[in-house]
Amino acid sequence: MKFILPVIAITFFFLSCKEASPKQGKIITLRDTTITTANAFSQLIFDSLALENFLKKEVKGDSMANYMRSFYNSRNYTFAWFNEDGLNAQAQGFWSAHEMLIKQASDSSIYDEQLHHTIDTLLSDSTFILNKIQLAETELRFTKHFFNYLQFAYGGKVDPQKVEWHIPSRKLKPVALLDSFLNNEKGDWQSLNRPYYLLQQQLYKYNEIQKKGGWQTITTSTNVKPGSKNDLVIAVKKRMQLVGLYPNGDTTNLYNDDLKNAVNKAATSFGLKADAVIGKDLIKQLNITVDERIKQMLINLERMRWMPEAPSNFLLANIPEYRLHVVENSKEVLEMSVVVGKAANQTVIFSDELKYVVFSPYWNVPRSIVQNEIYPAMQRSSSYLSRKNMEVTGYSNGLPIIRQKPGNSNALGHVKFIFPNSYNIYFHDTPSRDLFSRQQRAFSHGCIRVQRPFDLAVYLLRNQPEWTNQKIKAAMGSSEEKWVTLGKAVPVFITYFTSWVDLDGLLHFTEDVYGKDKELAAHLFE
């Protein structure tokens, strides 16, 4: 794949040496004339007039034009994607890694048919030769394509605000990202987050299953346990083999230990109890078609594109999973079950920073709960407030302002964790401990109840030595409210992912508890 041509000469016109004037406040990087053929990344150089002609013919909008001007000014018009031998490692690495996303996109704005034909031919035919004009145009098309790809990869096809996703996306700096990528000598390319690529690899696997006809529906009217012999076992083994949970070859009707492990993994992946029983709940999940699973993965890949770059320390509560994950130095150090808002009182998808731990908190009852639940109960029974350890602190528009005092019956339990936000959502303890044992845990009015509040408090206060375990326990059992400010705020993400791959490589699917998948699918696929 060599180019039989000399280094492209630089023809400097007076006009081409002038900087294009910034438009709409965009600042264009000045030209770096210290870069020459002697110190450049590539010995191939083109004329700045070629860029302006290309922009005039192929680029609409000031942003893209200014990205390209800044990028090539910063490298004094040396090639980024080609060297004297052809496509460089960076070009080949990017092209290989981005192809699946481009194919999934079905979006003409990021598919340049001419560029794809040229690059695919260069990669497959070592005799294919570009002349210098074609080479410069291909170089520029490649850069334009890279910037378009970044916009799609990070932004996706759907505006997150349309589906009430209030987590700010990563601030995109296309020129800096391209420079960073090109400075990686190996040409490794992972523009998005690791969870995205883990799920994408599973999507590849499911696409192959789909091409081969998917899987057959399994019918059953009984539960099957380890040690049993049943024809249902044969069907389940075949189903598990398709997704790599059970070794190929064995299709006997004996429910053995290997199948027990596979069944428990499958149950875990669907958010079911891992009790080794092949029952109706597990079969229901196994019978969801490969087409629907692929669609579910595509929906969640879209959401993963919206996520900002993760800090090294953060808390993430995933609503459909009913789990809170605590990450420190990019490794999970604590996790627990949570109870989230019910469908009528949905927990909001957003991000903020956790700043306060409040021990033995008062519960300031929201006006809607006072109006719909507590005030009617007060009218039915004069002793209702005293029985619930509540008190009236004032009135607003004829309705009492009510709070519940600290204690064992307090709806917030013995501690709450505040990340100030306009949605009035926070983490908190609860006296209703039995809810954590349930498979479906959407019961709250919107806030998130945590299963292990003491452990979470210990973790958050680990760098404040005055807060010993003993002192934390005492504060949680006090009759007086105590606010503690964290030494350093911790980022919190409240997310909505119904499919993902965990740290052990297990693919998960959950129920669409709020119907968010259906809502996003309407934007993505229709």
Side-chain angles (χ1 to χ4, degrees):
M1 193 176 63
K2 294 198 175 191
F3 297 112
I4 306 174
L5 56 96
V7 175
I8 300 176
I10 310 174
T11 306
F12 288 111
F13 293 91
F14 178 77
L15 178 63
S16 67
C17 290
K18 294 170 67 176
E19 300 302 324
S21 55
K23 298 180 180 180
Q24 297 180 350
K26 300 287 185 181
I27 299 175
I28 302 172
T29 303
L30 296 176
R31 187 164 184 169
D32 187 351
T33 56
T34 65
I35 296 175
T36 67
T37 56
N39 59 19
F41 177 82
S42 170
Q43 296 297 297
L44 301 178
I45 303 174
F46 66 91
D47 186 346
S48 60
L49 187 59
L51 172 62
E52 293 303 321
N53 288 336
F54 177 83
L55 296 178
K56 184 177 180 180
K57 182 176 68 171
E58 299 288 346
V59 175
K60 296 178 181 179
D62 292 336
S63 293
M64 175 66 76
N66 289 341
Y67 291 153
M68 294 188 70
R69 289 187 181 108
S70 288
F71 175 66
Y72 283 108
N73 276 346
S74 69
R75 57 191 302 112
N76 206 6
Y77 293 84
T78 58
F79 278 64
W81 306 106
F82 294 90
N83 55 34
E84 296 89 327
D85 294 323
L87 284 169
N88 58 30
Q90 286 79 2
Q92 295 184 53
F94 167 72
W95 201 256
S96 174
H98 94 302
E99 274 294 86
M100 181 56 72
L101 180 58
I102 295 298
K103 289 175 182 176
Q104 293 167 7
S106 64
D107 188 333
S108 59
S109 68
I110 58 167
Y111 188 85
D112 184 327
E113 186 173 355
Q114 180 177 332
L115 176 67
H116 277 72
H117 173 75
T118 300
I119 300 301
D120 290 343
T121 305
L122 286 170
L123 290 170
S124 61
D125 184 357
S126 61
T127 66
F128 183 61
I129 297 173
L130 297 174
N131 64 40
K132 65 180 182 181
I133 294 176
Q134 292 171 327
L135 183 59
E137 180 173 347
T138 303
E139 162 76 16
L140 293 170
R141 281 186 178 278
F142 206 124
T143 300
K144 176 192 172 189
H145 179 68
F146 183 92
F147 287 141
N148 277 332
Y149 171 82
L150 285 183
Q151 293 288 352
F152 175 80
Y154 286 114
K157 291 182 67 176
V158 179
D159 179 356
Q161 293 296 322
K162 288 183 178 180
V163 290
E164 299 180 313
W165 181 281
H166 304 298
I167 300 174
S169 300
R170 179 190 301 203
K171 292 182 179 179
L172 191 60
K173 297 179 180 178
V175 176
L177 281 169
L178 178 50
D179 283 333
S180 175
F181 169 64
L182 291 172
N183 287 331
N184 181 346
E185 293 182 1
K186 294 181 180 179
D188 293 336
W189 176 246
Q190 292 223 324
S191 58
L192 294 160
N193 48 66
R194 185 168 180 267
Y196 177 91
Y197 290 104
L198 290 174
L199 185 57
Q200 187 185 56
Q201 288 300 317
Q202 293 292 332
L203 177 63
Y204 298 160
K205 179 193 294 185
Y206 275 63
N207 281 333
E208 291 303 312
I209 295 172
Q210 183 188 51
K211 290 176 185 177
K212 295 175 182 177
W215 47 69
Q216 304 211 343
T217 300
I218 302 172
T219 58
T220 183
S221 58
T222 184
N223 291 343
V224 179
K225 298 180 180 180
S228 304
K229 286 187 176 182
N230 191 296
D231 287 345
L232 174 63
V233 171
I234 300 173
V236 172
K237 283 182 178 179
K238 290 180 178 179
R239 173 68 172 79
M240 298 292 185
Q241 286 167 349
L242 280 175
V243 295
L245 290 179
Y246 189 78
N248 292 326
D250 175 24
T251 55
T252 64
N253 67 353
L254 174 64
Y255 188 165
N256 56 23
D257 287 342
D258 285 343
L259 184 60
K260 176 182 176 181
N261 292 335
V263 166
N264 281 339
K265 278 189 176 182
T268 299
S269 75
F270 299 133
L272 304 175
K273 184 178 180 180
D275 57 7
V277 175
I278 301 175
K280 62 179 183 179
D281 290 340
L282 179 63
I283 296 300
K284 177 184 175 182
Q285 293 297 323
L286 292 175
N287 280 339
I288 293 176
T289 66
V290 68
D291 292 355
E292 286 301 307
R293 289 308 192 194
I294 286 173
K295 183 181 289 188
Q296 190 172 358
M297 283 188 273
L298 288 171
I299 287 167
N300 285 277
L301 284 169
E302 176 75 4
R303 292 186 181 120
M304 288 175 183
R305 292 186 198 118
W306 302 340
M307 288 296 287
E309 188 171 4
S312 56
N313 300 334
F314 63 93
L315 277 63
L316 187 149
N318 188 29
I319 295 168
E321 184 189 5
Y322 308 118
R323 299 291 288 178
L324 173 65
H325 303 270
V326 179
V327 176
E328 183 178 1
N329 296 325
S330 302
K331 294 182 179 180
E332 186 172 86
V333 295
L334 181 65
E335 68 167 338
M336 64 192 72
S337 296
V338 298
V339 173
V340 301
K342 48 195 170 186
N345 303 99
Q346 296 182 9
T347 300
V348 181
I349 302 163
F350 73 108
S351 61
D352 217 298
E353 290 190 324
L354 198 156
K355 297 180 179 179
Y356 309 105
V357 177
V358 184
F359 293 113
S360 299
Y362 283 98
W363 178 39
N364 298 302
V365 185
R367 180 180 176 85
S368 60
I369 298 177
V370 172
Q371 183 172 346
N372 298 326
E373 300 176 28
I374 295 178
Y375 189 59
M378 290 169 58
Q379 294 178 312
R380 291 192 299 268
S381 172
S382 60
S383 63
Y384 178 83
L385 289 184
S386 60
R387 286 188 284 110
K388 295 295 183 180
N389 199 30
M390 292 179 174
E391 62 185 2
V392 175
T393 61
Y395 289 86
S396 174
N397 296 323
L399 198 66
I401 300 171
I402 295 173
R403 70 178 183 180
Q404 189 175 39
K405 293 178 281 187
N408 292 330
S409 63
N410 187 285
L412 305 185
H414 298 289
V415 60
K416 67 178 179 179
F417 308 90
I418 304 295
F419 33 104
N421 59 82
S422 60
Y423 310 109
N424 197 27
I425 288 176
Y426 45 86
F427 300 142
H428 65 86
D429 182 19
T430 175
S432 304
R433 309 301 301 173
D434 61 303
L435 295 179
F436 292 111
S437 63
R438 300 193 187 185
Q439 178 183 316
Q440 201 270 5
R441 296 191 291 276
F443 298 106
S444 81
H445 285 87
C447 287
I448 297 175
R449 306 173 191 176
V450 295
Q451 183 184 30
R452 298 163 58 187
F454 173 75
D455 292 341
L456 183 57
V458 168
Y459 171 79
L460 292 172
L461 295 170
R462 68 197 183 285
N463 295 323
Q464 294 173 238
E466 69 275 19
W467 282 100
T468 63
N469 289 9
Q470 185 176 3
K471 187 174 179 180
I472 289 173
K473 286 180 180 179
M476 288 177 67
S478 174
S479 60
E480 296 183 6
E481 185 178 80
K482 173 71 175 179
W483 282 63
V484 181
T485 302
L486 296 185
K488 185 177 182 180
V490 181
V492 174
F493 298 92
I494 313 297
T495 63
Y496 194 94
F497 293 109
T498 62
S499 182
W500 70 95
V501 179
D502 67 22
L503 296 175
D504 295 321
L506 183 64
L507 173 62
H508 290 255
F509 295 104
T510 70
E511 296 289 345
D512 182 19
V513 60
Y514 291 164
K516 297 288 187 182
D517 279 10
K518 184 178 180 180
E519 182 183 2
L520 182 51
H523 293 281
L524 272 180
F525 306 122
E526 297 176 15

